[in-house]
Amino acid sequence: SGRFSLPIFRRNAYVEPDLTFPYLCRRDGFRRYADVSYAGWKREHGTFRTQTQRKSDGQKGGQRLNQNFVEYVKSHIKEYLPMEYQNAVVSINEVTKSNDRLLTGLTILSPGERSAPTIYLEALAEQVEQGLSLDAAMKQIAQIQVENHNRVPLDISVLENYEAIRPMLAVQMCDPETNQEYLKGKPYTSCGDLAAYYRIQVAANEEGTASVAITESMIQMWGITKEQLHKDAVQAANARSPVCLYDMEEVMAESIFSVKPENLFNREEPLDIGMIPIYILTNQEKLNGASVSVQDGVLEKVAELLGTNFYVLPSSIHELLILPDNGSMQLSELEAMVREVNATQVAPEDRLSDKVQYYDREAKLLQRGQEKSVLGRLSDKKAQIQQADHTAPKQPHRSEVSL
């Protein structure tokens, strides 16, 4: 009945990163996260914050992670690690993640090291509650640590050189209302009802990508403005992964028939849209693809291709859904659907927003809360009057005689 599920490019995060290092693998057409992240350098720049009084199951308002499990892991993890870890410092940090979720991270830092994997404990704690033995959980943690030790994807000192990292800049979108804590200390740019913040993509290969969030202290160190950062990040992101616009039916067919969908954004002529068309706006990598909407001219080009105004649905941080306005959809209904899907089908770390926005192609304006802008409604009214004048039978002038 016209309902559909979001997001299209679904991801399943087991453990999230600080220096984001989620190894991605292909399975059933979707990307899935594995278990590791890195921390260390960010601590030197004041972005590691401990908040022991807040709830920490990874979602606001959730139940606190079992502290007995946390303390046991901290006290006994060395028993499961090789001898070279016996002098390492084991620490527990509560880290604010996107959408103001708190995750509990375990870091095992050997003497002289500047960085080490941070392993988040929420998923393993849940598995223990569901029957996984404590011994098996500890072995998993030790395996993650050993396999990913010293796998920081670059010399961390490179991050101090802005010219060196400029091509690595990336943009990520979030809802500022649900990221008030997470955005503290980070430069961001308001983009309609959403916000763009910035990361450094330090590595990308067949395993996945690695990135680190940019902080205010970092742009001060580089001696640049937020405006310069935004401009450079947009350019770098587009150079690595250009804008893509797909027909949803073709994307769904790809997982069945392995036929690559056409990138409609490269077309010059208007699209022949069907009865209830749905399009996916993302990037070539299908990773953090919602950020393409902040590039100059992208939404304007989409409007030209569609030949009409359209709704923008926040499918996830990885893509937006574009629905041409055919006059039969109501904003309130679309937002209710997005809220339901976000609450039941989208992983918390992938959730972008519940806010459906509307793009007016005449005003070249993206907004929320009304189907059309004032300029758009005036334009429609003017067109209706002109059409009425054209089709209505001509009335005689007062001085004319009508028989």
Side-chain angles (χ1 to χ4, degrees):
S1 60
R3 297 179 65 84
F4 50 87
S5 296
L6 298 75
I8 302 305
F9 308 110
R10 188 172 289 108
R11 289 156 175 79
N12 181 15
Y14 176 52
V15 180
E16 292 187 71
D18 277 308
L19 170 58
T20 307
F21 205 172
Y23 301 110
L24 303 181
C25 59
R26 287 288 185 177
R27 181 182 176 188
D28 301 329
F30 297 110
R31 298 173 183 259
R32 299 183 184 274
Y33 283 135
D35 308 34
V36 69
S37 63
Y38 282 84
W41 185 80
K42 289 177 67 180
R43 188 175 301 153
E44 300 175 15
H45 291 266
T47 62
F48 235 81
R49 301 189 300 119
T50 300
Q51 301 177 31
T52 57
Q53 300 303 314
R54 293 182 60 187
K55 297 176 181 179
S56 60
D57 72 334
Q59 298 185 48
K60 289 194 298 184
Q63 295 181 353
R64 188 175 181 81
L65 184 64
N66 187 318
Q67 292 303 297
N68 291 331
F69 174 76
V70 174
E71 290 302 321
Y72 184 87
V73 171
K74 181 179 179 181
S75 301
H76 295 277
I77 187 58
K78 288 184 181 181
E79 299 170 13
Y80 293 82
L81 291 168
M83 285 299 298
E84 58 262 32
Y85 287 95
Q86 297 313 302
N87 293 325
V89 176
V90 179
S91 60
I92 298 290
N93 295 281
E94 286 188 337
V95 184
T96 302
K97 304 297 290 183
S98 60
N99 292 317
D100 284 355
R101 297 165 300 119
L102 276 176
L103 294 181
T104 303
L106 170 73
T107 304
I108 305 169
L109 193 66
S110 297
E113 291 183 333
R114 298 183 67 194
S115 62
T118 294
I119 303 167
Y120 292 96
L121 301 178
E122 276 73 14
L124 282 169
E126 182 178 354
Q127 291 183 28
V128 169
E129 290 181 358
Q130 294 173 353
L132 180 71
S133 70
L134 196 55
D135 182 68
M138 297 295 283
K139 288 179 179 178
Q140 285 191 40
I141 295 171
Q143 181 180 0
I144 294 169
Q145 172 68 29
V146 172
E147 289 181 352
N148 296 282
H149 184 65
N150 287 331
R151 288 194 66 186
V152 176
L154 87 166
D155 182 355
I156 293 177
S157 63
V158 172
L159 300 181
E160 300 174 2
N161 184 341
Y162 184 69
E163 290 305 316
I165 62 91
R166 190 200 295 260
M168 309 177 194
L169 295 174
V171 183
Q172 192 160 322
M173 303 300 291
C174 72
D175 186 333
E177 290 187 8
T178 57
N179 286 271
Q180 294 181 32
E181 286 293 321
Y182 182 66
L183 289 176
K184 286 182 178 179
K186 296 183 178 71
Y188 65 91
T189 302
S190 297
C191 302
D193 289 293
L194 302 178
Y197 66 100
Y198 312 98
R199 306 189 72 91
I200 306 169
Q201 183 171 304
V202 297
N205 54 36
E206 65 279 0
E207 289 185 312
T209 62
S211 66
V212 58
I214 293 174
T215 66
E216 293 283 358
S217 64
M218 292 163 70
I219 66 171
Q220 292 173 9
M221 174 182 66
W222 294 327
I224 63 170
T225 64
K226 181 183 70 174
E227 291 72 22
Q228 183 66 46
L229 175 64
H230 180 83
K231 177 183 176 182
D232 291 344
V234 168
Q235 289 179 346
N238 187 57
R240 284 194 312 272
S241 189
V243 180
C244 294
L245 180 70
Y246 299 120
D247 186 306
M248 178 184 278
E249 291 187 0
E250 292 187 11
V251 171
M252 303 307 291
E254 180 185 18
S255 62
I256 301 174
F257 303 108
S258 300
V259 178
K260 187 176 180 179
E262 177 189 358
N263 182 7
L264 303 175
F265 195 78
N266 293 332
R267 286 212 188 171
E268 298 296 334
E269 68 280 1
L271 302 176
D272 182 15
I273 60 178
M275 291 296 294
I276 310 179
I278 303 174
Y279 299 95
I280 301 168
L281 183 63
T282 184
N283 56 20
Q284 186 172 287
E285 296 175 341
K286 303 181 181 69
L287 185 66
N288 296 321
S291 63
V292 300
S293 62
V294 307
Q295 296 182 28
D296 290 341
V298 167
L299 296 181
E300 183 179 351
K301 172 72 178 291
V302 172
E304 291 175 359
L305 291 171
L306 300 181
T308 185
N309 301 341
F310 56 86
Y311 295 92
V312 180
L313 276 64
S315 172
S316 78
I317 62 173
H318 305 296
E319 71 281 321
L320 302 171
L321 297 188
I322 304 297
L323 278 68
D325 182 7
N326 61 7
S328 64
M329 294 173 285
Q330 295 295 320
L331 182 65
S332 57
E333 295 176 356
L334 293 175
E335 288 196 329
M337 180 190 66
V338 170
R339 285 194 297 271
E340 177 185 350
V341 174
N342 273 339
T344 59
Q345 299 187 38
V346 184
E349 66 275 7
D350 288 342
R351 195 170 298 152
L352 176 54
S353 176
D354 290 337
K355 300 170 183 175
V356 174
Q357 299 187 89
Y358 189 84
Y359 186 80
D360 187 314
R361 65 172 183 148
E362 294 292 334
K364 298 181 180 180
L365 180 66
L366 180 67
Q367 59 192 350
R368 177 176 176 248
Q370 56 188 27
E371 273 71 11
K372 291 182 184 292
S373 67
V374 173
L375 289 176
R377 293 196 300 272
L378 289 175
S379 177
D380 289 349
K381 186 64 176 178
K382 180 179 178 180
Q384 293 172 5
I385 293 173
Q386 290 176 340
Q387 180 68 16
D389 288 343
H390 179 73
T391 58
K394 185 177 181 181
Q395 298 298 321
H397 193 272
R398 287 184 181 180
S399 61
E400 292 180 349
V401 177
S402 177
L403 300 177

